[in-house]
Amino acid sequence: TDAQFNLAQHHAQGIGVPQDDAEAARLFSLAADQGDAYALFNLGVLCASGRGGLPQDDREAARLFGLAADQGNAKSLFNLGVMRASGRGVPQNDAEAARL
């Protein structure tokens, strides 16, 4: 899982390999399938922005952020809170957004 995540990061950022969001998404997906919270977060970012060959899908991004947040991933908690506050991909809920 760590190797998949690390290689995905390298592809996402173009570190030592050509920058390739599609390959990053593929590798993040493999690591996310094994429950890696950081991979879930990064896959959520790609879904939210429609990068890596993934369709832009706020609902799926919120789902991925939620799975990562359940594992304590702070960036996912923040993103999910922003999405709750705006109603992007999830029902708008100020109280829930503030809690996150």
Side-chain angles (χ1 to χ4, degrees), residues 16 22-23 31 35 37 74 89 93 95:
E23 182 62 7
N93 184 325

Side-chain angles (χ1 to χ4, degrees), residues 12-13 16 18 23 28 38-39 50 61 72 75 81 84 91 94 98-99:
Q13 297 173 18
E23 182 62 7
F28 282 137
Y38 295 103
K75 290 181 178 181
R84 283 270 181 218
D94 287 334
R99 185 187 71 75

Side-chain angles (χ1 to χ4, degrees), residues 55-94:
Q56 195 282 327
D57 186 342
D58 288 336
R59 181 176 287 180
E60 178 64 5
R63 185 186 76 79
L64 292 165
F65 292 144
L67 291 171
D70 287 345
Q71 296 182 50
N73 183 275
K75 290 181 178 181
S76 289
L77 283 166
F78 175 81
N79 284 6
L80 197 53
V82 169
M83 294 178 91
R84 283 270 181 218
S86 67
R88 185 176 165 196
V90 292
Q92 195 276 336
N93 184 325
D94 287 334

